[in-house]
Amino acid sequence: MILFNNQFTERDKVNIDMEDRGYQFGDGVYEVVRVYNGVCFRMESHMARLKRSAAEIGMTLPYSLENIEQLLLKLVEKNAIHTGNVYIQISRGVAPRDHQIPANITPILLANTKEVERPIYKIKEGISCILTEDVRWLRCDIKSLNLLGSVMATQKANQLGYGEAILHRRNMVTEASSKNVFMIKDGTIKTHPANHLILDGITRVEVLDIAKEKNLPVVEEAFSTDELLQADEVFVTSTTAEITPVTKIDETIINKGQSGPITQMLQQAFEQRIPKHGDGSSVSLFFSIGQK
Amino acid sequence: MILFNNQFTERDKVNIDMEDRGYQFGDGVYEVVRVYNGVCFRMESHMARLKRSAAEIGMTLPYSLENIEQLLLKLVEKNAIHTGNVYIQISRGVAPRDHQIPANITPILLANTKEVERPIYKIKEGISCILTEDVRWLRCDIKSLNLLGSVMATQKANQLGYGEAILHRRNMVTEASSKNVFMIKDGTIKTHPANHLILDGITRVEVLDIAKEKNLPVVEEAFSTDELLQADEVFVTSTTAEITPVTKIDETIINKGQSGPITQMLQQAFEQRIPKHGDGSSVSLFFSIGQK
């Protein structure tokens, strides 16, 4: 089932108008919520960010935030999602093409789900990243549908046989194409401050919270690509990637190509925050992967 | 009629897929071609730019450029457009949502037309502009569907009661939200060079060509907002706005709030390049507006 505006419908019944401003301007915002064991993880944080993104582009949500949340929970239930993603986007709405936003336009809400396993292998073994220039706009704090810069960076990484692209502006690392970047040097965790140059990821916030809980030193400060390449450990975070070690950046091997001890400590703490259910079927990275 | 891929169809028969990457990533490119008296103006230049934009985002056009051009000409004919616009966009195609572009994806072509009069009043009387920060990405040379930055700048201008937004990066003027910007000081025409920070407008090229023809001094060089505010004349150009004088920027009145002599000279030369037809019905700014 698809959620189209406030209706649950079959996929082939969803008809996007050719003059939906989402289609012609990327004029809209979105969220991806992770479902673990049938539970939407950090739903409130996603809803709060959705509201903020909409407000920043001057768009009024078509329904109350509580209403949207309820509709999404219902969608997850209807689709019987166990471990997967909920994607929701809200576009400005339909109007004859014009940069100027017409008055009284009604936003279009679209949400779907898919069952997706946790990327356990990557979480354990890590991924490789290229370094590439961050050419995106200066409002990366808005989770908008203008994603071409991220798409192109991802494409470049893939074509070179790498898993992700770490972006930098004039050699200062911002984030990855769809993930936040953390580095660890001499026990201190560093990540770009949550300003207009990065999206303040829900998992980023989770990692900062875990670090605080564990009294690990954290500096929210931009760092250079040189610093990154000399890091003891590097990892990226996102709703779907969780905490994924980076073991290679361009030609540089990080931490002998392995996940580092602080990364693992954070992963374990994150693991413990993941909603569990009682039937014992959840895939646990540290406690049950050996038994798979 | 709408052109959907290579078929002419009614608007209500066009169904955009919810997983069209144009809708979820703004992953696509577009052009707006002006029709004067039934003739597509500078069609070849638009087609060349469409091809370039597609290539820059790593997208293969679904049909040959010649084929696309023929389809658009046919559309204009079918819709009997006299003076209007042809809008064409090509999105990457339909695929389950993923930043990574799948192999063998087929682009989706969409084109429509509308009858739109030349903006004669604005061309004569000019428009007002705000100055605002250019927050767009660093590949503005690509005419992509990622237009949220431009939409937001336009919206800001409109909310303040202005007609357009002139954008600047650290006080250096780039272009307007959907137009190129020119300033004239002591007889010299200045405009931002055609690099990655601006779209090289078809009308921009036309103006440069006219200036060359008339031996007017031109400098393609970035200028500051301070320089702009002290200009003798300022105008913006685009396919639909042609050469539109800017008579007010924020609180500063330019050229006593009037169109200046060099602007008018360029407008007259541009006017002469507009395709005419024989029935005398075309609206000519300088030669027939008084008779309307």
Side-chain angles (χ1 to χ4, degrees), chain B residues 4 70-71 75 82 121 136 173 175 192 261 292:
Chain B
F4 189 45
Q70 288 308 311
L71 287 165
L75 183 70
H82 178 272
Y121 181 80
R136 301 170 309 158
V173 173
E175 58 185 335
H192 196 284
K292 280 193 81 183

Side-chain angles (χ1 to χ4, degrees), chain B residues 12 20 37 41 70 125 130 159 163 165-166 180 188 202-204 211 229 234 279 289:
Chain B
D12 58 12
D20 190 314
N37 301 305
F41 187 50
Q70 288 308 311
E125 301 299 327
I130 59 163
Q159 280 169 347
I166 292 177
N180 292 117
T188 295
I202 309 292
T203 310
R204 176 185 182 279
L229 294 174
V234 177
D279 69 9
I289 197 166

Side-chain angles (χ1 to χ4, degrees), chain A residues 42 189 204-218 243 265-274:
Chain A
R42 300 294 179 249
I189 302 169
R204 176 185 182 277
V205 171
E206 207 68 31
V207 165
L208 295 179
D209 188 61
I210 291 170
K212 194 176 169 192
E213 192 183 83
K214 295 198 172 297
N215 289 313
L216 298 172
V218 175
I243 299 169
M265 188 196 302
L266 294 166
Q267 286 178 323
Q268 290 184 38
F270 182 82
E271 178 89 13
Q272 284 164 9
R273 295 181 176 206
I274 289 177

Side-chain angles (χ1 to χ4, degrees), chain B residues 131-134 166-174 225:
Chain B
L131 280 170
T132 191
E133 201 193 339
D134 190 346
I166 292 177
L167 311 176
H168 61 88
R169 287 190 196 263
R170 300 174 187 204
N171 294 319
M172 298 305 286
V173 173
T174 51
T225 51

Side-chain angles (χ1 to χ4, degrees), chain A residues 51-71:
Chain A
K51 186 181 174 183
R52 180 185 180 276
S53 293
E56 291 296 317
I57 71 164
M59 185 173 87
T60 309
L61 295 176
Y63 316 108
S64 74
L65 212 58
E66 295 67 32
N67 202 196
I68 293 171
E69 181 176 334
Q70 287 308 311
L71 287 165

Side-chain angles (χ1 to χ4, degrees), chain A residues 229-244:
Chain A
L229 293 175
Q230 286 157 28
D232 298 329
E233 303 177 40
V234 177
F235 62 87
V236 288
T237 61
S238 84
T239 291
T240 48
E242 300 180 4
I243 299 169
T244 295

Side-chain angles (χ1 to χ4, degrees), chain A residues 28 57-58 80-81 94 106-107 143 163 178-179 186 197 201-202 219 240 284:
Chain A
I57 71 164
I81 298 298
V94 176
T106 307
K143 204 165 171 73
S178 59
K179 300 172 180 71
D186 301 330
L197 296 180
I202 308 292
V219 184
T240 48
S284 166

